[in-house]
Amino acid sequence: MEININKERLWDHIHSLGKIGRNTEGGLTRLSFTEEEKAAKEMVSQWMEEADMRVYTDEIGNLIGRYEGKNVDAPVVLVGSHIDTVINGGKFDGAAGILSAIEAIHTMNEKAITPYYPIEVIAFTDEEGARFSNGMLGSKAIAGTLTKEDLYQMKDSNQVSAAEAMRQFGYDPEKLDTVKRSPENLKNYLELHIEQGKVLEDNDLSVGIVTGIAGPVWFNVRITGESGHAGATPMGMRKDPMVGASIIISKIEEIASKEKQAVATTGKIESHPGGINIIPDSIEFTVDIRDISEETLIRLEKEVRELVEQVTEKRGLGGEVNVLHRVSPSVASPDVVKQLEESCMKAGLPTFHLPSGAGHDAMIMSELTDMGMIFVRSKDGISHNPNEWTDKMDLANGTEVLFHSLNELASE
Ligand code: HGY
Ligand code: MN
Ligand code: MN
C-alpha cells in the first residue's frame, strides 16, 4: 500500500530528537524546564516551521505549531502529545505523537492542502510528572484545572517549585489563566502514542484505535515510627516504619490483583535518615493505582487508606496518605473513533480497538472536546525504559492514519 507521509524524514526526526537527554546506557532523561527540554523544543520548533506552521509557546511552556486553515476564526483541530520523558526513558514515548503530527502536517503542506479548520500541534508541558510528581500540567492548564497554588506547592527533589522552574526558563506562572482554552475554540483532539503494552504485538497488528483510558491516582504515603540503634533495640521493642511500609506495599499488590484490570505500583521509596545501622524514623513511598472504571478507582483508594490505618494502628506507627495526582478514566468520542476506523481502512489497515492502561494528555483534553487516540505497536510491550522500541513501518502506518484523520476532521 503506497503511503503519503515521508517515513524516512519521520524516522530521522525520531532518532535526532532521541539524542537529546540521552545517557551512556541509551536512556533518555528530559525533565520539564531543563536545558535538555529546551534543546528538544528548539529542535521540534524548527521542524514545525519547515512544515509551514507558525510556532509559539504559551505562558507555562506548552509548545504549539499552528497550521492555518481557510477559516482562521474556526475552532481548532488539536493534535498533541509530549516531549518530556520519565527518568531513563525511551525515545518514542510522547515523541512519536509530536513527530508524527508534524510529519502529517508537513505532508499536507507538500500536497498544498489547506484545511478549512486550523490545526494546532501541541507539545504539552510536563506530561510525565517525573520532576514534580504530578503530571499533565500543560493539558490541565489548558483545561483550567490547574491552579497557581499547585505550581508553587509542587516541588522537585531539590525543593524547586514548578512555578520557580517555569520562571527560570522564561515562562510566567502568574499568567496561568491566559493558557486556558474554552470548548468552543476546539473542534477535536487527536493523539498518536506508542501502546506501551503488548496487545498489538500479541495480535500481530501495527496500529490500534483507543476506546478509553484508565484513570491514574497517585498517592504519597508516609509511615512514621521510632528511630533506634539497629543492634541495641530488641525486636519486641521496635516501632519500625520500614516493616510497616513493606507490609502495606505487599498488601496493595493483593488489593489490585483481586480486580479484573486494576494495576498498582510503588515506584519510589525513601527511608529517613537512611543509615544501614539505624531503625528509620519515617518511610515515604508512592502508590500509582489505575483502572478504567471510576467506581473501582474510588473503592481502591478507600481500601488503601483503610489498609494504612489498620497496619499502622496494629504496629503503633503513624500513617499519612496524600493524593498527588488524580485523573478520571476517559472514553474516546464515538465520532472520532469512527473517523479513525475510516482512516485505517483508507490506509489499508485492519481496525482494532483496545483500551489504554497508560495515562495521556488526551484524558484531560476529553474534558474539553471530542478525543481520539491511535496506538502504534510497542516491541515486547516495553516502555519507560531505554529499550522502548517501535518499528519504522508501524510508526509510518500510524502516521498515515493520523494524516487521513486530520485531513477529514479539518475539512469543512
Ligand atoms: O504515567 C503514565 O501513564 C504516563 O506515561 N504519563
Ligand atoms: Mn506518554
Ligand atoms: Mn510515559
Side-chain angles (χ1 to χ4, degrees), residues 223-224 248 307-319:
I223 308 294
T224 50
I248 290 165
L307 169 67
V308 171
E309 223 166 280
Q310 283 152 20
V311 172
T312 49
E313 223 156 82
K314 190 165 167 237
R315 306 182 71 90
L317 300 167

Side-chain angles (χ1 to χ4, degrees), residues 100 128 143 167 274 283 325:
S100 59
E128 292 289 8
R167 256 196 288 276
I283 301 293
H325 170 58

Side-chain angles (χ1 to χ4, degrees), residues 82 86 93 127-129 135-136 193 196 214 216 218 288 290 325 356-361 363 383-384:
H82 59 96
V86 292
D93 179 357
E127 187 277 342
E128 292 289 8
M136 301 182 193
H193 205 284
Q196 300 176 299
W218 290 358
D288 171 332
R290 314 224 182 172
H325 170 58
S356 171
H360 304 286
D361 290 304
M363 315 170 73
S383 183
H384 285 187

